Amino acid sequence: MPFLISFGLSLFFVLSSFAVPIGEPQWGQTGHRTIGEIATDHLTNRAKKKIENLLDGHNLAYVSTFGDEIKSDKRYDKYYTWHYVNFPIGSRYEDSKKEEKGDIITGMEHCISVLKDENASRADQVFHLKLLVHLIGDLHQPLHVGRAEDRGGNDIKVSWHYKKSNLHRVWDTQMIESWNMSYTELEQNMGQLSKEQIRSIERGSLLDWMYDSRELAERVYASASPDDKLGYRYSYDHLGTVMEQLRKGGIRLAKVLNEIYS
Ligand code: ADE
Ligand code: ZN
Ligand code: ZN
C-alpha cells in the first residue's frame, strides 16, 4: 500500500478511536474540571486524604472527564445511558418509563453504594469514584435532564456564532469555551458565597437536584427554536446560569463525597 494511503488510514483509525472526546464532549472538559476543582475546595480533610489515596496523585478535576473518555470503548457500553435521564415535560421521573440499562439517578446511586461498600475492591472503588465525579457534573447540565424525543436537545439544530451546532452542545461546551477561561480561572472567579448560601445549595437529595435541572431544562427548551442563530445575546442571557450550575455541581459533589468518607 502506498505510504500516504496507509498513513492516512492509520491516522483515521487512531483519530476515530478517540471519536467521542474530540467530537461531542459532555459539559465539555472545562465544565467538568471546574466542578471537580470547586468540589476539591469543599472537601473535609478526611475525604481529601481518602480521595488522594484512591486517585494515586490525581485530583477531582483530572478524573472528572473519565466518564466521557471511556464512551468510545465498547467494553463500557453498559454505562452509556448513565449520563442523563429523559422523561416527558410535565411528568414525574418516578412515574416515567425507566431506561433498561439505567440512567443518571440509578448510575449515581450505584456508584455511591460501591464506594460505601467496604468489601469492594480498590479497582472498583477507583472506577466508581471517577464515574461518580463525572455523573454529578452531568446532572447539573440542564439538558441532561431532558426530553427523549430530541435527545436532550442534541437534535435541536441551531447555529453558534454562525457555525452549525445544536442546543445540547451550546450548553455542554460552547458557551463555556467562548468565555475562554481555564477551569482554574473559572473556579477562582466564581465569587464568594456565605455559609448559609452554601448550606442551601447542599440541601436536598439526588432527586431534588435532578428536579432543579429539569426546571432549568424547561427554560432552556423555551429559550431557543430549531435553526435559531445563537451567539453573544444568548451568552449574555444564559452564561450566568451555566456558572451557577457549575458551582452547585462542585458544592454538591463535595457534599456527597464528604458523606461517603465521613
Ligand atoms: N442522549 C439521549 N438523551 C440525552 C441527554 N438528555 N443528554 C445527553 N445525551 C443524551
Ligand atoms: Zn452533554
Ligand atoms: Zn457525561
Side-chain angles (χ1 to χ4, degrees):
M1 203 179 321
F3 169 74
L4 267 180
I5 295 180
S6 71
F7 177 73
L9 278 177
S10 351
L11 191 64
F12 172 77
F13 285 118
V14 168
L15 287 180
S16 55
S17 62
F18 294 109
V20 168
I22 290 173
E24 230 175 88
Q26 312 269 319
W27 240 156
Q29 292 165 320
T30 308
H32 278 293
R33 288 174 184 157
T34 307
I35 289 172
E37 203 70 0
I38 294 169
T40 300
D41 258 9
H42 288 87
L43 290 178
T44 60
N45 285 335
R46 197 184 160 91
K48 209 175 273 179
K49 276 213 186 82
K50 185 82 197 174
I51 291 165
E52 272 169 11
N53 174 285
L54 282 172
L55 297 183
D56 259 341
H58 292 303
N59 63 18
L60 294 179
Y62 185 90
V63 302
S64 66
T65 53
F66 172 74
D68 286 335
E69 282 146 21
I70 60 175
K71 264 185 163 175
S72 33
D73 187 333
K74 290 251 171 305
R75 286 176 302 170
Y76 298 107
D77 274 359
K78 69 176 250 202
Y79 301 106
Y80 194 85
T81 58
W82 290 22
H83 295 249
Y84 57 86
V85 61
N86 294 320
F87 52 97
I89 302 284
S91 67
R92 303 278 300 169
Y93 168 77
E94 291 87 333
D95 307 326
S96 68
K97 189 169 164 288
K98 300 294 182 298
E99 180 69 58
E100 266 170 45
K101 289 183 162 175
D103 57 39
I104 194 164
I105 293 292
T106 58
M108 291 184 296
E109 283 169 348
H110 178 78
C111 292
I112 292 170
S113 74
V114 173
L115 295 179
K116 285 184 171 169
D117 176 2
E118 283 163 15
N119 296 317
S121 71
R122 183 180 166 91
D124 261 350
Q125 289 190 28
V126 172
F127 179 88
H128 289 90
L129 173 59
K130 295 196 301 195
L131 197 54
L132 179 63
V133 173
H134 181 84
L135 296 181
I136 293 183
D138 276 348
L139 182 71
H140 288 81
Q141 204 283 51
L143 291 174
H144 278 241
V145 186
R147 295 190 301 223
E149 62 265 33
D150 52 48
R151 300 187 308 125
N154 276 297
D155 294 336
I156 301 179
K157 303 300 170 201
V158 297
S159 69
W160 179 251
H161 291 279
Y162 305 106
K163 290 210 178 80
K164 277 189 190 169
S165 184
N166 65 66
L167 193 59
H168 191 97
R169 193 187 300 159
V170 167
W171 277 82
D172 262 0
T173 312
Q174 290 177 309
M175 271 193 277
I176 299 175
E177 297 304 331
S178 298
W179 190 237
N180 211 16
M181 274 190 167
S182 68
Y183 70 89
T184 49
E185 289 168 336
L186 286 169
E187 186 267 334
Q188 286 157 12
N189 285 282
M190 280 288 161
Q192 288 292 316
L193 289 180
S194 67
K195 281 214 171 76
E196 184 39 49
Q197 284 171 312
I198 294 173
R199 261 197 296 274
S200 140
I201 290 172
E202 287 172 337
R203 253 194 291 279
S205 61
L206 297 176
L207 269 187
D208 293 326
W209 302 340
M210 187 273 295
Y211 279 116
D212 278 358
S213 278
R214 162 48 60 115
E215 218 177 290
L216 289 173
E218 294 189 20
R219 280 192 248 160
V220 174
Y221 278 122
S223 72
S225 308
D227 302 321
D228 274 359
K229 295 178 169 53
L230 307 182
Y232 290 114
R233 179 74 255 162
Y234 199 77
S235 283
Y236 297 150
D237 292 341
H238 300 289
L239 192 61
T241 303
V242 171
M243 295 304 159
E244 208 171 302
Q245 287 306 100
L246 296 178
R247 171 142 75 185
K248 285 184 180 171
I251 290 172
R252 289 167 176 172
L253 170 59
K255 182 209 175 184
V256 170
L257 295 174
N258 287 338
E259 263 173 23
I260 291 171
Y261 297 122
S262 63

